[in-house]
């Protein structure tokens, strides 16, 4: 029996067969040797198992490729989902910001009319209520300008620095100049 083993596996010739595991040339295979010994200690031979690692390497590479593709797909879906969620969160904020800018510029006709049932919807409802209250209690600048211009008495409006910011028609006709010239003159003195 030793002759057959030594012909097939010269590295084992002339040696006592022992338990061993050896990697064959450039990770192409695995050679496992297990001696078969009787209870009385007589050597009956060996069980030799040669396993090709090429197929195992191919399967490992395929599994690695699949895992990389799944990871890439998962990352892509996660990124797309995060962009979608962020867009859903930013859009109402932008609408509310734009509405408040318009309200700050005097447009009290703005309404958000939000149908959302979250915090953004609550904020939009609050902005709509605030705008309605402002609209019912605030007199427009144009309305005030018309009242000031129609007054029969002279009226000068000053800011906190005692600079003329507005003059009505009576003052401009009395001084025979324009409101703009009156403002410029007060800034120079």
């Amino acid at each position: 029996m030793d002759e057959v083993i030594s012909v097939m596996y010269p590295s084992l010739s002339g040696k006592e067969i022992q338990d061993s595991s050896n990697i064959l040339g450039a990770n192409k295979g695995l050679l496992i040797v297990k001696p078969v010994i009787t209870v009385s200690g007589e050597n009956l031979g060996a069980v030799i198992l040669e396993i090709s690692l090429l197929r195992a390497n191919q399967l490992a590479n395929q599994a690695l490729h699949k895992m990389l593709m799944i990871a890439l797909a998962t990352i892509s879906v996660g990124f797309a989902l995060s962009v979608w969620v962020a867009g859903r969160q930013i859009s109402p904020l932008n609408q509310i910001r734009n509405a408040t800018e318009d309200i700050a510029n005097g447009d009290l006709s703005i309404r958000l009319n939000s149908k959302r049932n979250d915090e953004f919807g609550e904020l939009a409802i609050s902005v709509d209520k605030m705008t309605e209250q402002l609209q019912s209690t605030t007199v427009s600048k144009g309305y005030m300008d018309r009242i000031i211009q129609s007054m029969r008495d002279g009226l000068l409006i000053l800011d906190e620095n005692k600079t003329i910011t507005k003059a009505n028609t009576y003052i401009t006709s009395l001084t025979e100049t324009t409101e703009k010239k009156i403002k410029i003159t007060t800034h120079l003195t």
Side-chain angles (χ1 to χ4, degrees):
M1 182 74 73
D2 283 339
E3 305 85 42
V4 176
I5 293 173
S6 65
V7 169
M8 291 181 66
Y9 299 101
S11 64
L12 297 176
S13 65
K15 296 181 184 174
E16 182 179 321
I17 299 175
Q18 297 178 352
D19 279 349
S20 65
S21 296
N22 298 314
I23 295 178
L24 302 174
N27 291 330
K28 292 187 178 178
L30 182 62
L31 179 66
I32 301 172
V33 178
K34 293 286 184 184
V36 178
I37 303 172
T38 65
V39 177
S40 62
E42 181 183 349
N43 190 355
L44 295 177
V47 175
I48 300 173
L49 182 60
E50 184 178 345
I51 302 171
S52 172
L53 294 179
L54 292 176
R55 179 71 180 141
N57 285 339
Q58 287 174 341
L59 291 174
N61 285 338
Q62 287 174 352
L64 180 62
H65 185 263
K66 285 179 184 176
M67 287 190 313
L68 288 174
M69 295 306 284
I70 290 169
L72 183 62
T74 303
I75 290 169
S76 298
V77 168
F79 180 73
L81 189 60
S82 66
V83 168
W84 178 75
V85 167
R88 283 195 39 90
Q89 299 300 316
I90 291 173
S91 177
L93 283 177
N94 284 336
Q95 290 173 342
I96 292 170
R97 179 183 47 83
N98 292 339
T100 55
E101 285 176 359
D102 291 344
I103 293 166
N105 291 328
D107 185 358
L108 300 178
S109 65
I110 297 295
R111 297 295 182 274
L112 292 168
N113 299 321
S114 178
K115 306 282 188 246
R116 294 178 65 115
N117 294 323
D118 59 3
E119 291 80 4
F120 295 119
E122 291 175 15
L123 181 58
I125 290 169
S126 295
V127 169
D128 285 347
K129 285 181 183 177
M130 176 193 68
T131 307
E132 288 172 13
Q133 289 174 350
L134 282 171
Q135 194 171 31
S136 68
T137 59
T138 304
V139 177
S140 74
K141 184 179 182 298
Y143 178 74
M144 285 302 295
D145 284 344
R146 286 191 299 276
I147 291 174
I148 290 170
Q149 293 304 325
S150 66
M151 290 177 67
R152 294 179 188 212
D153 297 324
L155 178 67
L156 293 173
I157 299 175
L158 308 173
D159 65 10
E160 62 275 355
N161 297 323
K162 298 182 181 175
T163 303
I164 297 173
T165 58
K166 188 105 180 123
N168 72 349
T169 309
Y170 181 82
I171 295 292
T172 56
S173 65
L174 185 66
T175 59
E176 296 180 0
T177 186
T178 64
E179 181 180 352
K180 187 174 182 179
K181 286 183 181 177
I182 291 172
K183 287 181 188 179
I184 291 172
T185 306
T186 59
H187 284 293
L188 296 176
T189 57

